[in-house]
Amino acid sequence: MDKFTYEKPYYTLTQYYNEKYGCKIGKIALNANFTCPNKDGKKGYGGCTYCSKPGSGDLAGDKNKPLKEQFDDIKNIMESKWPSIKYMPYLQANSNTYDKLENLKNIYNEVLNIYPDKTVGISIATRADCIDEEIADYLGELNKVTNVQIELGLQSSNENTGVLINRCSTNLEFVNAVNLLRKYNIEIIVHIINGLPYENENDMINTINFINKLDVQGIKFHSLLILKETKIALQYEKEKFHILTLDEYVDITTKQIMNLRPDIVIHRLAADGVYDDLIAPLWTRKKLVVMNEIDKKLRSLNAYQGINYKGESK
Ligand code: SF4
């Protein structure tokens, strides 16, 4: 299989960006101070049980700083290491399509015009229920002049888990949002979480099988993080549900990669290490170790992305 004659036994983001842009692309995580319909009462209150105060954007910029300043903070570090790097700014915290269209347009244009010559596109994290025809149509127009990536949180395809984590959004809404965005040729990256309460290996493999059937282009794997001052931290304290060990995470994620459609780009294999607010699992602080263990496991099995996938590529 051509794709996996490259360095890694899976379709990496580095490889994809090299094919597409021919250079290193740095992702600049920004916080534009949006909120979320799962927090303000439109869909639910309090948010998903694992959601942290910054709206699952713990490593995004400081919302109190102007976007340019947030951009510069990361750009300066990256440019000292890779002088010819280009950028994909990433609106990460909360739901970044949840506002009036005029406001969205202003923010996206502001971000794209901070360093227009060095910016290859914009990545926007949101919820499936924050995509409607009007927004998709606008994103489609924007996608004609730059590259628009939409990052959609699914977390799990098990609807019971969805209720348990207070996702307040259904699989059907997810499928509808994917179909709508693809009508406008917009690249979609799905986020999933491994190790959600009471999920077993089958649930996590089923989530991959669910994604394989959809016209999505990328995936981010995360491990569940129990962070201080979240609802899931209280649930964990009370119920002490099973938390994945490093070996279990590596084993399950390896199996998921082997089942994953080969054309889906893997943007992330493990959550970024959080230090101050992390309660469990502590091994998640060593992201590189997690990634290396997954590589090692795939190689020891002589396996690669999609080896067990039975369907067709998109
Ligand atoms: S959808 Fe995202 S931002 Fe909103 S509550 Fe859930 S994790 Fe937090």
Side-chain angles (χ1 to χ4, degrees):
M1 186 164 288
D2 290 352
K3 226 147 229 172
F4 306 113
T5 56
Y6 290 90
E7 204 189 329
K8 302 275 183 185
Y10 50 90
Y11 194 2
T12 65
L13 185 60
T14 306
Q15 183 184 319
Y16 170 63
Y17 279 160
N18 267 333
E19 289 165 5
K20 190 161 179 171
Y21 303 113
C23 66
K24 176 147 187 79
I25 304 296
K27 204 134 182 189
I28 306 273
L30 302 171
N31 188 336
N33 204 12
F34 286 107
T35 178
C36 174
N38 198 15
K39 291 178 173 175
D40 70 5
K42 185 172 178 201
K43 284 305 274 298
Y45 289 102
C48 305
T49 56
Y50 55 83
C51 186
S52 59
K53 267 199 223 137
S56 290
D58 298 72
L59 300 179
D62 176 350
K63 68 178 183 185
N64 299 311
K65 285 186 179 176
L67 289 166
K68 180 173 184 308
E69 215 175 301
Q70 294 181 38
F71 201 129
D72 283 340
D73 287 346
I74 310 169
K75 177 177 174 283
N76 294 339
I77 299 168
M78 286 186 170
E79 242 160 44
S80 62
K81 218 167 158 192
W82 302 283
S84 57
I85 193 169
K86 292 199 170 173
Y87 300 106
M88 177 71 77
Y90 173 34
L91 292 168
Q92 183 183 30
N94 286 307
S95 299
N96 296 276
T97 59
Y98 183 51
D99 205 340
K100 291 198 182 83
L101 188 60
E102 274 319 298
N103 295 343
L104 297 178
K105 285 182 186 177
N106 289 339
I107 300 275
Y108 302 161
N109 284 322
E110 181 183 340
V111 166
L112 285 164
N113 285 304
I114 295 175
Y115 294 105
D117 297 339
K118 300 204 102 204
T119 297
V120 296
I122 184 167
S123 201
I124 300 167
T126 193
R127 289 166 58 89
D129 55 14
C130 294
I131 297 292
D132 61 21
E133 188 75 51
E134 186 189 41
I135 289 168
D137 180 62
Y138 167 66
L139 293 172
E141 287 306 307
L142 192 61
N143 196 41
K144 289 179 187 162
V145 293
T146 190
N147 293 295
V148 177
Q149 296 178 337
I150 293 292
E151 306 213 9
L152 286 180
L154 172 68
Q155 322 315 354
S156 167
S157 64
N158 183 328
E159 300 267 24
N160 293 331
T161 304
V163 172
L164 196 62
I165 60 174
N166 196 41
R167 187 176 65 174
C168 292
S169 174
T170 63
N171 288 353
L172 181 61
E173 284 172 310
F174 191 87
V175 172
N176 289 342
V178 168
N179 292 339
L180 186 51
L181 290 164
R182 290 307 294 153
K183 205 169 99 184
Y184 296 94
N185 203 27
I186 292 164
E187 195 175 325
I188 298 168
I189 299 149
V190 185
H191 289 224
I192 66 166
I193 299 179
N194 285 339
L196 287 168
Y198 307 108
E199 286 225 326
N200 59 30
E201 185 179 301
N202 276 347
D203 291 310
M204 293 177 248
I205 300 286
N206 284 341
T207 295
I208 295 299
N209 295 337
F210 176 84
I211 290 168
N212 280 340
K213 294 190 196 116
L214 301 175
D215 188 8
V216 301
Q217 290 64 52
I219 187 168
K220 282 187 177 175
F221 294 87
H222 300 263
S223 43
L224 176 67
L225 301 182
I226 311 280
L227 301 176
K228 287 178 193 160
E229 294 183 52
T230 58
K231 285 197 275 182
I232 210 163
L234 293 176
Q235 188 192 4
Y236 180 58
E237 202 184 308
K238 257 187 23 215
E239 300 172 23
K240 284 280 178 275
F241 54 79
H242 180 65
I243 293 283
L244 293 182
T245 63
L246 172 59
D247 283 351
E248 286 168 335
Y249 183 80
V250 168
D251 193 50
I252 288 168
T253 309
T254 299
K255 286 179 182 151
Q256 288 174 311
I257 293 171
M258 290 162 69
N259 278 280
L260 184 67
R261 220 174 62 218
D263 59 281
I264 297 179
V265 179
I266 297 182
H267 287 238
R268 175 185 287 272
L269 267 184
D272 277 323
V274 173
Y275 278 79
D276 295 346
D277 290 334
L278 183 68
I279 296 172
L282 298 181
W283 55 261
T284 56
R285 286 181 174 150
K286 295 183 180 152
K287 186 179 171 186
L288 274 182
V289 171
V290 181
M291 290 170 63
N292 286 338
E293 289 301 313
I294 292 170
D295 274 27
K296 266 182 9 203
K297 181 104 190 178
L298 279 165
R299 288 178 204 281
S300 73
L301 297 169
N302 207 15
Y304 51 82
Q305 181 177 341
I307 190 172
N308 291 339
Y309 173 67
K310 300 283 185 292
E312 288 177 10
S313 290
K314 291 273 172 195

